[in-house]
Amino acid sequence: MPIPLRRAVALLLAWLPVNARAQARDAGARLERVADSVYVIIHDDATDQWPHGNTGVVVTTDGVVVVDATYLPSRARADIALIRSVTDRPVRYLVYTHWHFDHNNGAVAYRDAFPAVTIVSERWTRDWIALNGTWWARMSTAPASARRAALAALEQEVAAGKDSTGHALTAGERRERTRAVAQRQSELAELASLQVVPPNLIFDDALTLWLGGRQIELRDRGRANSPHDVTIYLPQDSVLFTGDIVVQSPIPYVGASWPVTWIEVLRQLEAVPMRAVVPGHGPVMRDWTYVRQVRRLLDAATSRTAAMALEGRTLDQIQDSLSLDDLRRATPAWTGAALDADWQQTVRALIERAWRGVRGQG
């Protein structure tokens, strides 16, 4: 009996050397091999305003474990096609690292493609996903929403060929805005019909899954980037999926975070034996260099904020005067004039969260 084409492709890929099969691509993502039968899908941003989180893929003889489900269902459906390029086995588990919807809005695509899939999260995360995913979709698509108003303004700029200050757009600027308009229109259309799919298996503290002889360790690390950040560890492969505890996009995401406790979480991760770290956003890492620099950034932000608080300064005064540029200069990913505005916004947000943390308010 002839081998089905999809199975034949999977068998061929299994025999190719690592570098030859390191990446499979589509228009907005690449599937990168991390270890034997372990992959990450690294995505382009969904829009000029919002990203997709990384998606982990662990292939076993009895099925597939997927880590996180991206921001939009259309992207998750495309990811399923990439997964099927390396295996014909079904997705048995979809595991969430945290509640942020750029990591789980795409769950409906997995549920539709694999009706028996088990969706797993930490206990509190389940309810936050249900609430926040629904809130975000309804808030974003409301007729008078700020997001619709911003889209309308961008559409007007493209139509007029001028920016908001009246300056004529260059050909490149017009192309960028036209692309952004199309992305945002598609985003709002998907959010308008979004089906939020909450987890149906929850856990406290830790959970070990076994699939096809493979051990998958889930551990709630507590407050770091979110109130309950879960890591997924493959001890047989020494691969760690961190969610947004680690982000290189290229600057960490720090809004609504807990930097005081995040520091200790990073120390814990650095003690984990690993051959690869898969962050929530950004490239696969093969050592702890970047993670240590994120920890140093958080440590400097909290210690310097505490010192200025002891001087009686207000939050605004601290944000206006505290510099973390020495940490930036030490990390190549964070340098470059194009990142100046993002860096300043990140520092102000981080100081605000550090201010609350060192004072016992968050």
Side-chain angles (χ1 to χ4, degrees), residues 20-72:
R21 62 185 174 108
Q23 295 182 353
R25 295 180 180 272
D26 68 14
R30 70 179 187 274
L31 178 74
E32 179 179 335
R33 186 175 182 271
V34 177
D36 184 29
S37 299
V38 181
Y39 304 86
V40 60
I41 305 175
I42 299 176
H43 308 97
D44 294 344
D45 289 342
T47 73
D48 61 316
Q49 296 178 315
W50 210 258
H52 291 296
N54 287 342
T55 291
V57 180
V58 183
V59 180
T60 81
T61 56
D62 289 341
V64 180
V65 178
V66 170
V67 178
D68 286 343
T70 76
Y71 176 46
L72 295 175

Side-chain angles (χ1 to χ4, degrees), residues 248 250 289-290 293-294 297 326-335:
Q248 183 181 328
T289 301
Y290 179 82
Q293 197 58 22
V294 173
L297 174 69
D326 53 326
L327 281 299
R328 185 186 184 190
R329 288 191 295 270
T331 308
W334 301 340
T335 58

Side-chain angles (χ1 to χ4, degrees), residues 274-277 284-292:
M274 73 86 177
R275 289 196 289 268
V277 171
V284 176
M285 301 169 191
R286 299 291 177 174
D287 60 40
W288 294 114
T289 301
Y290 179 82
V291 175
R292 291 191 183 101

Side-chain angles (χ1 to χ4, degrees), residues 39-360:
Y39 304 86
V40 60
I41 305 175
I42 299 176
H43 308 97
D44 294 344
D45 289 342
T47 73
D48 61 316
Q49 296 178 315
W50 210 258
H52 291 296
N54 287 342
T55 291
V57 180
V58 183
V59 180
T60 81
T61 56
D62 289 341
V64 180
V65 178
V66 170
V67 178
D68 286 343
T70 76
Y71 176 46
L72 295 175
S74 61
R75 180 62 260 169
R77 288 192 291 271
D79 285 356
I80 290 169
L82 284 174
I83 293 168
R84 283 173 167 156
S85 75
V86 294
T87 182
D88 60 357
R89 300 179 184 101
V91 174
R92 301 290 190 191
Y93 292 98
L94 171 59
V95 179
Y96 292 148
T97 57
H98 61 301
W99 74 259
H100 296 165
F101 30 76
D102 54 316
H103 293 260
N104 50 64
N105 270 359
V108 63
Y110 288 92
R111 187 202 62 187
D112 290 349
F114 309 100
V117 66
T118 298
I119 304 177
V120 188
S121 82
E122 179 275 332
R123 180 179 301 274
W124 287 88
T125 297
R126 174 190 58 186
D127 295 337
W128 290 328
I129 286 172
L131 189 151
N132 284 298
T134 302
W135 164 77
W136 177 255
R138 292 179 178 176
M139 180 275 297
S140 297
T141 59
S145 73
R147 306 194 79 224
R148 286 198 181 279
L151 172 57
L154 193 62
E155 290 170 334
Q156 178 59 36
E157 288 184 18
V158 171
K162 299 178 182 179
D163 66 18
S164 59
T165 67
H167 291 295
L169 300 175
T170 66
E173 290 170 340
R174 193 162 189 169
R175 281 194 301 271
E176 289 178 4
R177 282 167 169 78
T178 299
R179 181 169 181 256
V181 164
Q183 288 177 331
R184 293 197 210 178
Q185 288 172 338
S186 296
E187 173 198 25
L188 288 176
E190 288 201 58
L191 291 177
S193 60
L194 180 69
Q195 297 179 53
V196 177
V197 182
N200 53 18
L201 174 62
I202 59 174
F203 69 93
D204 297 299
D205 300 325
L207 174 68
T208 297
L209 303 174
W210 289 90
L211 189 66
R214 204 157 204 154
Q215 184 176 357
I216 300 101
E217 297 178 354
L218 284 59
R219 182 174 173 185
D220 177 13
R221 301 285 178 171
R223 290 181 172 182
N225 179 259
S226 82
H228 287 274
D229 280 316
V230 170
T231 58
I232 294 88
Y233 183 57
L234 309 178
Q236 294 147 306
D237 308 277
S238 298
V239 174
L240 180 68
F241 296 89
T242 69
D244 285 358
I245 297 171
V246 181
V247 165
Q248 183 181 328
S249 187
I251 299 171
Y253 299 155
V254 300
S257 66
W258 282 263
V260 173
T261 47
W262 193 349
I263 294 167
E264 180 54 32
V265 170
L266 290 173
R267 285 199 185 96
Q268 293 172 6
L269 297 193
E270 290 168 34
V272 175
M274 73 86 177
R275 289 196 289 268
V277 171
V278 180
H281 300 260
V284 176
M285 301 169 191
R286 299 291 177 174
D287 60 40
W288 294 114
T289 301
Y290 179 82
V291 175
R292 291 191 183 101
Q293 197 58 22
V294 173
R295 176 167 54 80
R296 292 183 185 114
L297 174 69
L298 301 177
D299 191 47
T302 54
S303 61
R304 294 174 193 181
T305 296
M308 289 185 176
L310 288 171
E311 296 171 355
R313 301 197 198 189
T314 66
L315 173 59
D316 286 342
Q317 289 170 336
I318 296 172
Q319 288 176 312
D320 289 343
S321 60
L322 195 160
S323 173
L324 296 171
D325 286 351
D326 53 326
L327 281 299
R328 185 186 184 190
R329 288 191 295 270
T331 308
W334 301 340
T335 58
L339 293 176
D340 285 351
D342 286 346
W343 176 257
Q344 294 305 321
Q345 292 174 3
T346 295
V347 169
R348 291 188 71 86
L350 178 55
I351 292 170
E352 187 271 336
R353 298 305 298 176
W355 162 261
R356 294 184 182 277
V358 299
R359 297 173 65 237

